[in-house]
Each structure stands twice: as structure tokens, then as C-alpha cells.
Amino acid sequence: MTDTNAPFRNEALGDHTLDGVEVDASTATDPVSHFSRFVGIAASVLILVAAVATIWEVGSRYLLHSPTEWAFEVVMALIAGSWMLSAGYVTLNEGHIRISVISDLAPPRLRHGLELFGAVVGIAALFLLLSDASTRAYDAIANVERTGSAFNSPLPTLTRAFLAIGAALYLAQLLVNLHRTLVSAPAKAIVKAVAVLMAIYFAAGIGVALFGDDSVFAVVTNFVSGLSAALDPSKALALRQVDLGTLSIIMVLLLICLMMTGMPLGIVTLFVSVIIAIGFFGPRGLYLVSTNAAGLLEHYTLVAVPFFVLMAAILERAGVAEDLFDAMSVLAGNLRGGVAIQTVVVAVILAAMSGVMGGEIVMLGLVALPQMMRLGYDRKLSIGLICASGALATLIPPSIIMIVYGLSAEVGIGQLFIGGIVPGVLLAVCYAGYVLLRVHLNPALAPTASEAADAGLAAPRQLDRNKLISVAMAVALIFCVMGSIYAGIASVTESAAVGVVGALLIALVRGRLMGSTLLSSTLISTMAMVGTIMWLILGAISFVGIFNLVGGGDYLREIFLDLGLPAIGVIIAMMAVLLVLGTFMEWIAIVLITVPVFAPVVVALAPELGLTPSDAKLWFGILFVLNIQIYFLSPPFGPACFWLKSVAPKDVTLQEIFLSVLPFIAIQFVVLCLFIAFPDLVLWLPDLLAD
């Protein structure tokens, strides 16, 4: 995916289209780049294998009444492998998530300097992570660490090995990328020398693991260990003597400042984690960072993410969006503003099929926007509606944001999905109601179908049988995937795997699967997209872990609890913080940094709010996602606006898009206030289905 008119580079479920990373790196001929490309493509196949294994488990349980003992751990190992093995491919294509708005405004010389600075910081952070992660991997392999389950697989060993391999691929490709961008011969020589020294160090580590501490390889590792002990920065920095308030401010400011340089956000959070860990605990603090990172690879809930992304990618390439739009154009009839209403309906259906917002906005921008403009619809009304409707994928299940929130707040994903139905549908109804009100107050904003036909703007349309079948299958897929979750028949991950198979079936029926590159291209785009997400989550998890260990989390929680505000006032204060963070920070970072702080506060306030702790976290989760929706549309960095700009006609400017979304932001804000004031609007459906 190219960086077309967007200030964010490849924000996988945030700031780019569904096609994943497609930056042209075909000119790279060095061995490392070849290896990164090969391993990345191979890693993409692991996602499909994991989906098939999950389907096998579902079939064994319900058809054969013989649940497997191996599926869970095998699937987890496959997905962990795909996450980490994609690191080199994503780095080769410069696909890691970054905020480049500030750096893009800088003069070319300064921008180049910031890029070099980011590369150096990334190399340092990855080297420090790998220096500990590789040691843990060697120990795990030597001891063959196992799960202790009925299947007793070596999953812990594999996850630690995958983390080390992923960090090594990332580091090696980053060094190659840096070398490729440098012009100065001395600078290139320095990069080569650094690469050789690092290779010697890690090769020596392997030698010690194989031949013992008495081998010749220990000379190198002991020298580096002695050097790190002598240079221990924890004594000089004395961070243990710094009060929690000052330390928390230092960490947050360092995080924000590095983000603004345009370096990958995963590297930013990882670097801050490593620096604080070393500065606070000494060199042994790296163990805390690598342990948090390795633990992430065993979160089964996150397996649903690549499955949902793959399902969405297949449906997009199969042309389901066009079929839905064509079918709805007939059902809209002669209603004034009918095409706008069908756009909202299609957006809701697409959201329920994917949970991936970026691809939905791009699809609507390619399919609906030209149609609305051709029929004489008001430009600003059309643009704003497409941005707002496309953003519904953040709220309508299966929402990827809800999965990440549920992981961070320890809330059931199924409950979050159910809780998002009413707010998502209500928001869609509000969008449609706003459009209908506007066009009836001013009919010139949107002609009817007959008026468009009389003016020669549109020919009468007929519902094609194949399109009707495609739409029916897509709707049936939604009911199968979401219905299996709500009915408790299958877990979120299992339902996502069912969605992958269903999407493949739809593509097959539409004739888009056999003899095409659909499957290979969607697997690669999914691998690249999820790979970018996982490194950001990995860095954020490491940051949160260190932040909590030094006491920052407790400090911030006490601040909120000691504000002297009523419970609802504290909730509003949290919403205000999220709105501010949304102006410059990516949504995954917001989730993983704020939720571990906010969720315990919400639980503590639950009695005062008249809610149970579980209901309080569920309600706050929906408020959180509604807040994130506002972020996606809000100028000046609203990702949805830049996604639409990337596919809109050239005469559609960013300023026009920003002005067009303002009424819909106002609607989002009103709906957010409504659900703050009346928590039962969120909770009644989950409580009803729970009974």
C-alpha cells in the first residue's frame, strides 16, 4: 500500500486500505531482502493453515463429538509464527505504522535526518530486545519448555523462539534499509561494521548455547556482558530516586516527542520501554521487556484478528461491496436521498462482515462516491456520509478495536460485540436520519431516482440474479459468524475462522477464486497488515508493563480517583483525555496505554455508578470505541479523511473532506453523550442475551 496523500504510513486497521503493505520493494536484490520477502510470503500461508485447523476443531467438536487436544496450541503456534516471521517483509516495504504528519512538513534535509534518527533508534531498541530475547529462546529450546496441557506442546519454546527470530528479521532488514538509503561511503561502512559486530555477538550467543559457557564463544558474550555492567545507566540516572509523577511525565513526553519524529510507533514504545527498564532496573530490566513481549504471543484472543482481516480481504477482492451497492440501489426505489441511505446500509453490512474500517472507507469511496456525485448529490453531504459510515466498522461487531480493548481490559469479546450492536445501529440510523432531514429541507441536495433518470444522469437498474445470490450469501455469512458467537456455539476465534471459509465459498461461487491470484494476494496483504499491528501491540504491551512496574499506572489511577469529581465526572474526564490523545496518537497505542490505567478506575467507581464491575468495564468499552470513532473523523489527523482522499477524485481536497465530516462528528458526540448519560442503552442487550 502506498502512502497516497496520507499522513500515516500503513496504519493497518487504522490508516490505510485493506490491501495491506504494497510499497514497491522489488528493486531490492540483496540476500536479506530476498529472505525477508520469501519468509513473509511463507508466513502468510500459516494464517490459512491455522484457519483450517480451527475449522477442524469446530467440526470435530460438533459433528464428530470428539474435541481435539492439539488444535488450540497448534493454531496459537502457527499464528505466533506468522506474526513474527512477517517482520522482515513489513520492514522491507516500510510498512510499520508511523505518524509522519510533522516530519512530512519538515524541509527535506531535516526529514532525512529524522528518518536516519528513527532508523538508529530502531536498531538500538531491537538489538537490546534481541540481546535478551535470544538468550531466553536458547534456554527455552535447551529445556524444551512445554504447556503442561493434555497435548503438552512446546508452545512456550516456540513463542520465545519466534520472538527472537522476528526481532532478528526486523533488525537485519532495518540495517539493510538504512544502508540502502545512505549516500556517504563512510556512513555505509559504519552500518556494515555495526551489522558485522552484531552478527558476531549473536553467533557467539548461539555458540555458547550449543557448546557451553566454557567454549571460546563465551569470550565474546562475557565481554559484552561485562561492558553492559560497566556502562549500567541505572546508577547514573538514578530513576528509582525520581518521584512517580516526574517519572510518569518523562515517559509520556518521551513517547510523544519520538512519535512526532515519524519513526514507527512500535519502535517508539519499544525504545521507551527498553530505556526505562534499563534506567530503572539496570541491564537485567531487559528481561521484563522480552517477557512481556513473549507473553503477547500466547494470547489466543488475538488469533481472531488475522482471521477477520483475511475474511474482509477476500470479500473485498471478490467484489461483494459492488454487489451490495447494486442490490441496494434497486431496493432504495425512488426515495429522495435513497442512494445515501443505501450507502449507510451497505456500510453497516460491510462492517458486520469485516471489522476493518480502512478497507470499508476505500470500498465506499470507490463504489458509492462516484455514483452519488454522478447522480447530482451534494458533494459535502456525500463525502461526509462516506467517511462517517465507513467508520462504523469500529463499533459494529466484529470490531478489531473491541478485540484489542477486551484483551487490555479483560472483558469478554462476545459481550463487547453484543454491546456494540445497539450503539452501532443507532449511529447508522442517526446518519440516515440526518441525511433524510437535510434532503427534505433542501431537495436540491439529492435528486430522486426518477429525477436523475429524467435528467439523463442514471439509467433504470435491474437486480441481477448473481448479485442477489452474492448479497444473500454475504448476509448469511454475517448471521453464521456473529450468530455462532452470540449463541455461544463457538468462540470469537472459531467464528472468525468460519468467516474465512465462508468468504472463500462466496469468492468461489462468484468465480473469483479459481485460476486467480485472489487467495495469494489476500494472504499476503493480511500477513503484512497484521504484522504491522502486532509489532505496535508488542511495543505498547512492553511499555505498559514497564510503566506499571515503575508505579506509573498506580500513580495515574490515583490522580483520577482523587480529582474530587463524582463518578460520572471522572468518566467524562477520561473521555476528554481520549479526545486529546486522538489528535496525535494512533488508536492501538491509545488502547494499550490508557485502558490498563482507566479500566481499574472504572471498576472502582462501579458502585457509585450503580453498575457491577463487569458491566462498568463493558459500558466504558463501548464509550471508548465511540470516542475512537470521533478520532477517526476528526481533523487535522483523522485517518478516515485521508483514506477517502486516497481514492477520491483529484478535485476533492482534504479541506473539503474536513469540512464535510464536521456535522457527522457532531452526531457522534451527541450519541457519545447519550450513552454516557444512559448506560442501560448499552447494557440491556448483553444482559438480555446473558439471561
Side-chain angles (χ1 to χ4, degrees), residues 202-345:
F202 291 120
I206 295 174
V208 170
L210 292 174
F211 302 105
D213 294 332
D214 297 330
S215 64
V216 66
F217 300 102
V219 175
V220 176
T221 57
N222 290 338
F223 172 77
V224 175
S225 298
L227 185 63
S228 64
L231 299 176
D232 183 358
S234 62
K235 299 175 183 177
L237 295 175
L239 292 183
R240 289 178 178 270
Q241 308 303 319
V242 179
D243 66 274
L244 287 179
T246 303
L247 185 59
S248 300
I249 292 172
I250 290 173
M251 291 184 69
V252 173
L253 287 179
L254 183 59
L255 193 72
I256 293 172
C257 291
L258 291 176
M259 282 181 179
M260 293 301 101
T261 65
M263 70 176 65
L265 298 184
I267 287 296
V268 170
T269 49
L270 181 62
F271 180 73
V272 175
S273 306
V274 166
I275 293 300
I276 298 300
I278 294 175
F280 201 88
F281 301 104
R284 293 184 178 181
L286 292 174
Y287 168 76
L288 302 172
V289 179
S290 65
T291 300
N292 284 332
L296 173 70
L297 303 184
E298 297 183 24
H299 277 289
Y300 186 66
T301 303
L302 286 175
V303 175
V305 174
F307 290 168
F308 279 129
V309 173
L310 179 58
M311 180 180 75
I314 293 170
L315 292 173
E316 178 200 357
R317 300 288 177 89
V320 172
E322 292 90 338
D323 290 349
L324 283 169
F325 196 82
D326 289 345
M328 291 299 153
S329 66
V330 176
L331 298 178
N334 201 41
L335 176 69
R336 185 175 300 281
V339 177
I341 302 305
Q342 81 184 53
T343 299
V344 176
V345 174

Side-chain angles (χ1 to χ4, degrees), residues 557 560 574 577-578 594-603 620 624:
R557 283 191 283 271
F560 279 101
M574 291 179 182
V577 170
L578 294 175
T594 62
V595 172
V597 175
F598 289 173
V601 176
V602 174
V603 170
F620 184 78
F624 187 97

